[in-house]
Each structure stands twice: as structure tokens, then as C-alpha cells.
Amino acid sequence: MLRYPPIEDHGLVGDLQTCALVSAEGVVDWFCSPRFDSPSVFAALLDHDRGGYFAITADAPDATVRQLYLADTAILVTRFLTPDGVGEVVDLMPVDDPHTATDRHRLIRVLRVVRGTVRFTLECRPRFDYGREQHTLTLDDNATASFRGTSATAHLQVVGAIPLERDGNDARASIELTAGQRAAAVLTLDAADSAPPAPITGAGVEEDFNATRKFWHGWIRRCRYRGRWQQQVNRSAITLKLLTYAPTGAPIAAATMGLPEQVGGERNWDYRYTWVRDASLSVRAMVDLGFKEEADAFRRWLGARLAAGGTVSGEPLQTMYRVDGDPHLVEETLDHLAGWRDSAPVRAGNGAADQLQLDIYGEAIYALAVVEELADLAGYDAWQRAAGVLDWLTHHWDRADEGIWETRGGRQDFTYSRLMCWTAFDRGIRIATQFGRPADLPRWTAARDAITEQIMARGWSERRRAFVQHYDTEVLDASLLLMPVVGFIAPHDPRWLSTLDAMDGELVSDSLVYRYDPAASPDGLRGSEGTFSLCSFLYVEALARAGRPDQARYAFDKMLTYANHVGLFAEEVGPTGEQLGNFPQAFTHLALITAALALDAQLDR
């Protein structure tokens, strides 16, 4: 068992309230409960010795391991091919009642052998509250192990030939199965004082498996994408769904926290929250695929944030929230965790929640204006709140801020922030005009036009022949790849084409795209980072829109080779093709979808 497997060597399973990572060796080394943003139960990915894990692996050091998803589902299969036989571990989380928040979540692990004989080893070593909490173990005669902490309880139940044994306050077992035999281990996470669930049966496990497969097949059937990259788009859509908290409709940025953007570096953030920016832009991807229910659920969540107020930042909206809308995300350093391959510090919470990032207002209004149905569904009360934000923004858009990349090196007049303030006014004007909503159109129009003139005068470098990161630099920034997407500039405009060419020379490396150059534009943090996968897919879309389909397709096909073995992407790609940062990242998968749609449209012409 690897102490710290590569970040990309994982699959994801979940029940739309929380999720688990399963390594390519069959080890659950990341799992938080009862929500995505709750403390971890298993976190060996961040500290092998203190984090805890749930392993079911083949007891064969020479085994060849393969991992795959059952097609169009979130059911993960890890296969062990040994000289003596072939065995499988099938991982799934039943989607029982996703829209009702609950403390109880189940991870089902089915063991089966399809050829010969395979010996498995099971180890269940929970470590509650990021490994800070002690627990006790009760092991009864009905093959149930109950691990009780002060904040939560985990119940492990087995069916079939799995003789659980005590190993201190943990449990283990050795299982030998022959062709045709099956067994199962079901881990139920619940409240601290919970009683063990009802005894499980093989028939019950089979029923859960069939119901889970049926759920995912039924959900993906709603996808209307029939383009050239259907398998990749479907996997990205399922990943976005897995990373959305169903009780509120709030998508999170990634399943994990603390995974580094540079091995041994300090850029190790907590991404288990809902960024207004990421979630708003995901609306476009979901609507384009036909998932309007998910888009509307986020619209309602966003409207509730505007109605609630009370942000930590003191602005009408803040950069990010917990999945239930709580604005308090106090950042702390977990010094007792070593970090993935000694990449410390490990941070929980996110101090960027109280940063000023003005672009979020543009993305929020953009989400409402993606399709007529969403704008119309908003209703009068929601429109009044949105209009109030736009009225406020007319007085507050012209400020320095921390920008989209949440830099910690001081505020600047970021061009992207101005661009998205322009988008807020532009889309607000469109909605008000189309639906006859009350609005201060003269003031909004004046603000929109003032931003246009300012970006053209100060965000454009005549020497570089390109739009730049902020007004006091000539450094480029990949966030500006969204300029033609939001309609600020035409994709064939000479200024935009020369900007794209400049990015090719400064930010693009073999079709992989850096966000910006930290050495040329210090961001207040030490070290470097890999190429940003979101930006690499935005680059593909920009090339397609600019009428460069051959270059776009080559870049897209190369980018797809950086997906992991089950089609998932982390935040970044390192210098030798390894995945870095939190995993899997929703922003990357939504950009893959929009890139595929744009490229299909261009190729079809």
C-alpha cells in the first residue's frame, strides 16, 4: 500500500451530500461526513499515519490493478489481476434521499472474484475530526464493528466470509474468495450517539447496487449532448453532479482540501466550499447539457445568499460560502497533519472568504441570464434583490481588489474584475429590457460604458498588443480568455486575436496554460505552480471561437490525455504531466464541457 499515492490515482464516489476518494489500490483515503465541508473521517491522503483509511486490497504484491467506472454511473470498480485469480472491489454510495440533509451516509464495498482465488486484506482505521479525536471500538458477534468518537460514529457491517478482528481500536480481516463468491463491507457514518443500522444481507446490498446504477443511468439520460466527446462530457457532468450538495443545490469547488499546487509548497487551500464564481459559471455548462433543474437549484441558493446578507466581507455577496450558505469559513492550520508528501501547511477553512473580489457580481448576474427560463423563474422579489446589487455596484465597481486568483499580495485594479462588473451591468440591462423589470437603466448603462472605456484605455497594453492582468502591469492573465465568452469583445476582433497570440507566447506551454507568471506579478506566496487545467480548456474554447479549429482540436485532444485513468482532473498539471492541487476540480470539468460544445459547434460549420 502506497503511503501517498499520486493525486490522480483516485476515483470518486458520492451520494450528493458527501463523497469519498478511492485510490487505485482500493484504499479510501479521503472521506468527510456528514457533508463535503465537514471534518474528515479518513484523511490518509494528507497524513498516512494520522489521517485514517479504509483499505480493501488484494494480498498479492505482484497484482496488476485496474480501475474503472461502470459506464455512465458513479459506481467505481477496482480490479486486482493476480497469477492465482482476478478479484474486484466495487465501491458505491447509495443516493437514498439526496435533497434531505442527514448525518447518515453509507459506503458499500462489494468484493467478488471472477477467476481463480484471491485473498483480500481489509483494514478500517477511522480518525475522526481530521485525526484529532480519539475513538473506541465495539466488536460484536453479528459482524459489526462500531467506532465511536465524540463527534461521530462509524459502523462497519460485513456479509459473507469476512471475519472481523480487533486491531487496537481498529478492525481488520483476511478474506479468501474463489470464482463466483462475493462478500460485502458496508460502512455507515452517523451521529455520535447513533445505534448500529439494521443487519445487512447480500440481497439488500444487491438492491442498493441496482438502485444506485438506475439512479445514475436515469440522471445522465437527461443529458442532451451528442457531440464528438460524449464519454468525456458525460463523465464531467457526473463529476459536477457528485460535487453538488443536493439539499441546497450548492456546488463545491473540489472534493478535497490541502492538496498542493507544488509538491512541498505552501499553496495548499481548502476547496470544499461554494464559490459564487465557479458555481455561477457552472450554470452555463449544466444548462447547455440540458440540466436546468440543477441550474435553477443554484439560482435559488444564490438568491437566498443575496436575501440573507450578513457576509463576513461586509459586501452584498462574498467570494465563497459553506454549502448551507454559512458565510463563516475561518481558516486554520492543521499542524498535526504532515500534508501530502510533506506538503505543509494543511489548511482547513479558507481565509479568502473575506477578500474583495468584484468579479463575483458579474458571474452571479451572468448565471441568471444564461437562459430565459432562469431569468423568468427568478420572479419579482429575486429581481428586486439583483437590481439592488446592481444599483450598489454603480458606486462600488471602480475599486482595487484581490482578483479572481485570490492573490495575497495586495489589491490591484484587475482587468478581469472590471470585465465581470461590465458583464453584471450588461446582463442586468438585458434582463430588465426583455422582461420589463423595473431598473435604473440610465445609471446601469452609464456604468457599463464607463467600464468599457476604462478597460480599453487602461487594461489594454499598446506595447504588448494585449489586454493585461491589471492596470499597473504588462503581465498577461488567462482569466481574460473569458472576454469573448461574455461578449465584451468579438472573438475575431484584432485586439482579441493579438491578445490570444500574446498568451500563446507567454502563458501557453505545449497547449497547457498557466494562470499568470507569479515571478513577473508577485502574488504574496512562495514557490510556483503547475499549469491550470481550467485555463487550458478555456484556451481551447477561445481558439474555437476565434476560428482556429485545427489548433483548438489538437490542444483539446492533448489536454484529454492528462485526465486520470477514470477521466478525472485535478486543479493543475505539473511539469511532467502529474496532477496537482485539489481533486477532482469542478471548475476544470465545467470548462471541459464548454470547450467541447464550442469546438463541436465550430467543427460542425
Side-chain angles (χ1 to χ4, degrees):
M1 175 176 156
L2 287 175
R3 288 179 62 84
Y4 293 102
I7 291 171
E8 66 264 29
D9 279 6
H10 292 84
L12 178 75
V13 296
D15 63 2
L16 310 187
Q17 294 189 24
T18 187
C19 60
L21 291 184
V22 185
S23 79
E25 290 187 301
V27 180
V28 178
D29 53 14
W30 182 254
F31 192 177
C32 299
S33 187
R35 303 188 322 200
F36 298 115
D37 55 359
S38 298
S40 63
V41 177
F42 302 119
L45 193 59
L46 295 178
D47 193 309
H48 178 84
D49 297 322
R50 300 180 185 89
Y53 59 86
F54 181 13
I56 300 180
T57 58
D59 189 11
D62 54 351
T64 299
V65 185
R66 295 288 184 266
Q67 199 172 53
L68 69 152
Y69 278 112
L70 294 186
D72 290 338
T73 76
I75 299 174
L76 190 69
V77 181
T78 306
R79 308 188 74 231
F80 301 92
L81 293 81
T82 77
D84 297 323
V86 176
E88 297 178 340
V89 176
V90 181
D91 285 297
L92 62 130
M93 293 183 67
V95 186
D96 296 321
D97 183 10
H99 299 290
T100 301
T102 178
D103 287 334
R104 174 168 286 195
H105 300 278
R106 292 184 295 148
L107 172 65
I108 297 177
R109 315 199 71 188
V110 179
L111 297 77
R112 59 193 187 192
V113 171
V114 296
R115 177 176 63 79
T117 300
V118 177
R119 188 175 183 84
F120 296 92
T121 297
L122 178 153
E123 295 179 87
C124 189
R125 305 182 182 278
R127 299 291 184 267
F128 299 106
D129 189 25
Y130 305 118
R132 295 181 293 195
E133 190 175 296
Q134 299 296 317
H135 69 269
T136 60
L137 170 64
T138 301
L139 189 62
D140 67 19
D141 296 333
N142 295 321
T144 298
S146 294
F147 309 86
R148 295 190 178 276
T150 57
S151 64
T153 296
H155 303 285
L156 176 64
Q157 298 173 290
V158 296
V159 60
I162 303 182
L164 288 178
E165 301 173 358
R166 178 184 290 273
D167 183 7
N169 280 326
D170 301 319
R172 61 176 291 117
S174 294
I175 311 113
E176 184 172 286
L177 301 177
T178 58
Q181 289 187 316
R182 296 190 177 198
V186 179
L187 185 74
T188 302
L189 297 176
D190 211 336
D193 56 353
S194 62
I200 61 170
T201 63
V205 170
E206 186 74 13
E207 183 179 341
D208 283 326
F209 172 87
N210 290 331
T212 304
R213 181 173 56 183
K214 182 179 179 181
F215 171 84
W216 287 107
H217 283 170
W219 185 81
I220 200 64
R221 195 175 297 123
R222 293 164 45 203
C223 182
R224 65 188 183 197
Y225 178 80
R226 298 295 182 270
R228 294 167 177 81
W229 295 280
Q230 188 167 354
Q231 181 176 348
Q232 292 89 344
V233 167
N234 280 3
R235 179 53 52 199
S236 289
I238 289 172
T239 303
L240 290 177
K241 181 69 170 175
L242 279 170
L243 296 177
T244 300
Y245 185 65
T248 63
I252 61 171
T256 59
M257 53 174 261
L259 293 178
E261 297 174 19
Q262 178 188 28
V263 179
E266 67 171 336
R267 300 165 188 262
N268 316 320
W269 313 112
D270 191 345
Y271 275 18
R272 300 169 301 148
Y273 307 115
T274 300
W275 268 253
V276 169
R277 173 189 310 111
D278 303 32
S280 295
L281 292 176
S282 74
V283 168
R284 173 181 160 220
M286 299 307 274
V287 166
D288 287 344
L289 296 182
F291 297 113
K292 292 182 181 177
E293 290 180 14
E294 285 73 11
D296 184 49
F298 172 71
R299 178 200 60 76
R300 286 185 271 108
W301 181 90
L302 182 61
R305 304 289 70 71
L306 287 171
T311 60
V312 174
S313 64
E315 306 282 318
L317 279 176
Q318 69 182 43
T319 308
M320 70 191 85
Y321 299 81
R322 293 189 178 276
V323 292
D324 61 357
D326 185 348
H328 300 283
L329 287 78
V330 177
E331 185 175 300
E332 62 176 322
T333 299
L334 305 180
D335 292 324
H336 64 289
L337 296 180
W340 183 80
R341 298 186 181 179
D342 293 322
S343 296
V346 174
R347 298 182 179 93
N350 200 309
D354 61 359
Q355 286 190 351
L356 177 64
Q357 297 177 27
L358 290 167
D359 66 283
I360 62 176
Y361 299 101
E363 286 122 0
I365 303 300
Y366 180 78
L368 292 179
V370 167
V371 292
E372 291 183 11
E373 291 92 331
L374 285 186
D376 194 29
L377 279 170
Y380 180 78
D381 292 336
W383 170 252
Q384 286 291 90
R385 290 192 290 271
V389 168
L390 288 170
D391 289 339
W392 172 89
L393 195 59
T394 60
H395 298 291
H396 293 88
W397 64 265
D398 195 11
R399 292 182 289 167
D401 68 352
E402 276 88 4
I404 179 177
W405 305 129
E406 299 171 359
T407 58
R408 302 194 178 192
R411 293 180 177 180
Q412 300 286 351
D413 291 306
F414 285 103
T415 305
Y416 179 80
S417 296
R418 298 296 197 277
L419 168 71
M420 295 312 294
C421 287
W422 176 92
T423 303
F425 291 119
D426 181 74
R427 295 313 194 272
I429 292 166
R430 293 189 195 186
I431 295 172
T433 302
Q434 182 176 2
F435 293 99
R437 301 280 170 81
D440 192 344
L441 291 178
R443 193 148 58 108
W444 296 0
T445 302
R448 181 195 64 185
D449 295 347
I451 297 171
T452 302
E453 293 170 358
Q454 188 186 91
I455 290 176
M456 290 301 185
R458 302 181 63 193
W460 169 260
S461 167
E462 192 64 35
R463 189 187 73 81
R464 297 296 309 272
R465 298 296 299 168
F467 291 101
V468 293
Q469 184 183 57
H470 61 78
Y471 295 166
D472 293 324
T473 187
E474 291 196 334
V475 172
L476 305 180
D477 192 310
S479 64
L480 298 179
L481 288 164
L482 283 168
M483 275 185 150
V485 174
V486 299
F488 179 83
I489 195 167
H492 298 91
D493 186 287
R495 288 194 186 216
W496 174 247
L497 293 178
S498 64
T499 298
L500 198 53
D501 291 338
M503 289 184 181
D504 281 338
E506 182 171 305
L507 299 180
V508 181
S509 174
D510 190 29
S511 299
L512 299 175
V513 182
Y514 291 94
R515 296 188 292 181
Y516 55 93
D517 181 1
S521 180
D523 56 12
L525 297 166
R526 297 189 306 274
S528 62
E529 61 182 17
T531 57
F532 214 66
S533 297
L534 158 72
C535 298
S536 298
F537 283 120
L538 291 180
Y539 174 64
V540 170
E541 182 175 359
L543 290 173
R545 289 174 176 268
R548 302 175 181 179
D550 292 339
Q551 186 182 356
R553 185 165 192 173
Y554 187 42
F556 190 62
D557 286 342
K558 282 196 288 186
M559 190 60 200
L560 294 179
T561 67
Y562 293 101
N564 80 344
H565 56 288
V566 290
L568 303 182
F569 286 91
E571 182 180 11
E572 299 183 5
V573 174
T576 57
E578 72 278 15
Q579 296 203 31
L580 295 169
N582 285 303
F583 175 89
Q585 195 203 30
F587 220 164
T588 299
H589 284 277
L590 76 89
L592 182 156
I593 293 168
T594 57
L597 291 166
L599 189 50
D600 271 324
Q602 183 66 31
L603 293 172
D604 288 344
R605 293 194 184 99

